[in-house]
Amino acid sequence: MSAACALAEAGFRVQLVERRGYLGGRASSYLHPGVNEVIDNCQHVLFGCCTNLIGFYRRIGVADRIHWTHEMTMIEPGGRCSALGSFHLGPFTLPAPLHGAPSFLCAKSLTFADKISLGRAMRAMMKPDPLIDTHESLAAWLRRHKQTEGAVNRFWRLVIASALNAELDSIAVPYAAKVIRELFLNSAEAGSMGMSTVPLSELYAGVTPFLVKRGCSVLLNTPVEGAAWNEETSQWLICTRTVELLSDYVILALPFEATQKLLPHLPAEEGAERLARQIERHEHWPICSVHLWFDREITSLEHAVLLDREIHWMYNQSKLQGRGGNYLELVVSATRSFAALPREAAIQQALRELAEFFPRVKEAKLEKVALVKEVNATFGVAPGIDSARPTALSPWPNLFLAGDWVQTGWPSTMESAARSGHLAAEALGMEAEEPLKCYERDLKPQGLMRFFN
Ligand SMILES: Cc1cc2nc3c(=O)[nH]c(=O)nc-3n(C[C@H](O)[C@H](O)[C@H](O)COP(=O)(O)OP(=O)(O)OC[C@H]3O[C@@H](n4cnc5c(N)ncnc54)[C@H](O)[C@@H]3O)c2cc1C
């Protein structure tokens, strides 16, 4: 979608072809028949540093539907809260990276020793280090930097591993360092957290009119099954289950496993085997979400990080999306054991744990519940993964690759997807000799962080 809209704006006549009956892919919402409610397939958060995603939202006119916050509440079982976030005293703030220091130093959920060890680790990750070992796992790095058990469990495992959706020994250090710099150090703006105030698919409702208005088209329920290159006409023939399409250029913006399925149906080309081997090195991690409707308010918080339990994040959708009823969404990431539980056991565990943070759950009546297991939610950023992420340039003529898994430097996120789309659109523009600029640069580090970059 990001590539299509940028190219359409630059005057290309784009045909956007989607297998499903709706746009949005892994970041979409739908009417769940079990609860008769429109739910997101999972809460999706973004951050101020997601410049390409925000640029895409701006392009299609929905940037104002994102609710931004600078605060993150951490809750311990028993209900004690610590708020992490940037410091403000009227108009006064502290320069980055100190903007978050006061709340971090006051956080009751971390001991003094945890804070010292975290401070040391953040100091080590402050500078983008070209010599950083991309083959070292975060778990090994944390051991080497003598992180306390509290820091590992209540920060690295919970905040960083769940943001990257993998266990600590399956995360490459540069990705963790990137998250630390962007979310906690570079600037308050980069680390501010955004959540959609409307169901995810409503965010993209403007994509089709945006494209149609510019002479482009959107074909839904149209799975691509193969493509053939015509050397004489320099055109691609795209074979879908329903129609055949001709095109001068193609951007394949598929998840890695869908790209892999398509490879045997693309022309034989030097380099295709290497791409196949790169794809084989990718693996998926699951994310589960439990959607609960209660007969009364459980908490007035909009969202919270839940410590020491399997459920990690609570989003109060009644507040965030202004929905009727008392609708909470719980997210469990970076764990394969929860995803393997049978439905009833998973729901009971989520409810039991939620009651430890919010005692009102015990008196409340649960009116309805939905469990969504996304087994192939995100790709892992294991040590060494960068060499398995291809660039936008494919082995085929006039065909470009996009999707969150291609080489963007970002983990599996909407930002990586939007970035890859913009990179592919720019590569296509170059090839077509109609260069366009849509790739949004990173936010500049602020305050003292300017000297560390
Ligand atoms: C449960 C869950 C929680 C997540 N949480 C977050 C979060 O909080 N923040 C965040 O930034 N990211 C999050 N992500 C990751 C984010 O959703 C993805 O990184 C992003 O949506 C990837 O976009 P994409 O366009 O690369 O791929 P996709 O969204 O997978 O889009 C690919 C599209 O290609 C279509 N397609 C596949 N095969 C074909 C074919 N043969 N022909 C035509 N079309 C085809 C698919 O139907 C799909 O629409 C989460 C993902 C999940 C699943």
Side-chain angles (χ1 to χ4, degrees), residues 187-401:
S187 67
E189 185 190 353
S192 60
M193 182 170 153
M195 289 156 282
S196 175
T197 56
V198 293
L200 284 169
S201 293
E202 273 183 44
L203 276 184
Y204 320 121
V207 168
T208 303
F210 182 95
L211 292 173
V212 170
K213 206 169 143 194
R214 288 161 179 81
C216 308
S217 55
V218 177
L219 283 84
L220 300 176
N221 299 308
T222 311
V224 172
E225 294 183 328
W229 172 246
N230 186 328
E231 193 69 56
E232 272 168 35
T233 58
S234 286
Q235 277 194 316
W236 283 97
L237 175 71
I238 310 295
C239 306
T240 78
R241 199 168 295 163
T242 47
V243 284
E244 288 189 340
L245 306 163
L246 279 178
S247 186
D248 298 333
Y249 300 94
V250 175
I251 295 179
L252 278 187
L254 306 175
F256 68 84
E257 69 276 31
T259 312
Q260 186 173 38
K261 256 171 109 179
L262 209 56
L263 288 184
H265 309 286
L266 294 177
E269 189 70 57
E270 211 182 309
E273 250 179 51
R274 176 165 186 265
L275 180 61
R277 282 197 304 275
Q278 284 180 309
I279 293 177
E280 270 166 22
R281 288 173 50 204
H282 283 273
E283 68 163 343
H284 272 126
W285 286 80
I287 300 182
C288 300
S289 53
V290 187
H291 304 249
L292 304 159
W293 284 261
F294 291 99
D295 67 343
R296 67 197 73 185
E297 188 178 85
I298 300 299
T299 170
S300 58
L301 287 171
E302 283 179 352
H303 58 94
V305 184
L306 309 175
L307 299 170
D308 304 339
R309 294 292 180 268
E310 283 274 53
I311 52 171
H312 294 148
W313 301 85
M314 180 283 295
Y315 298 95
N316 190 336
Q317 296 297 11
S318 292
K319 293 207 176 289
L320 290 168
Q321 296 189 352
R323 309 259 297 237
N326 295 289
Y327 170 20
L328 300 187
E329 180 180 342
L330 310 177
V331 177
V332 185
S333 48
T335 154
R336 287 182 164 138
S337 53
F338 190 89
L341 287 177
R343 180 179 185 277
E344 209 37 49
I347 292 170
Q348 286 314 320
Q349 180 171 342
L351 279 170
R352 227 177 15 251
E353 293 187 1
L354 188 66
E356 293 186 64
F357 300 95
F358 305 106
R360 267 183 241 166
V361 171
K362 289 183 200 140
E363 292 110 50
K365 182 166 167 260
L366 181 65
E367 292 179 329
K368 47 190 175 181
V369 55
L371 171 71
V372 180
K373 288 185 186 179
E374 289 280 354
V375 181
N376 297 335
T378 60
F379 68 88
V381 284
I385 197 67
D386 280 345
S387 58
R389 299 183 74 178
T391 65
L393 302 178
S394 82
W396 297 275
N398 293 5
L399 188 148
F400 303 87
L401 298 174

Side-chain angles (χ1 to χ4, degrees), residues 18-19 25-26 42 44-45 224 254-255 287 377 403-404 412-414 417:
E18 164 59 47
R19 173 175 66 98
R26 276 170 284 161
C42 186
H44 275 61
V45 299
V224 172
L254 306 175
I287 300 182
D404 61 354
S412 184
T413 50
M414 298 182 289

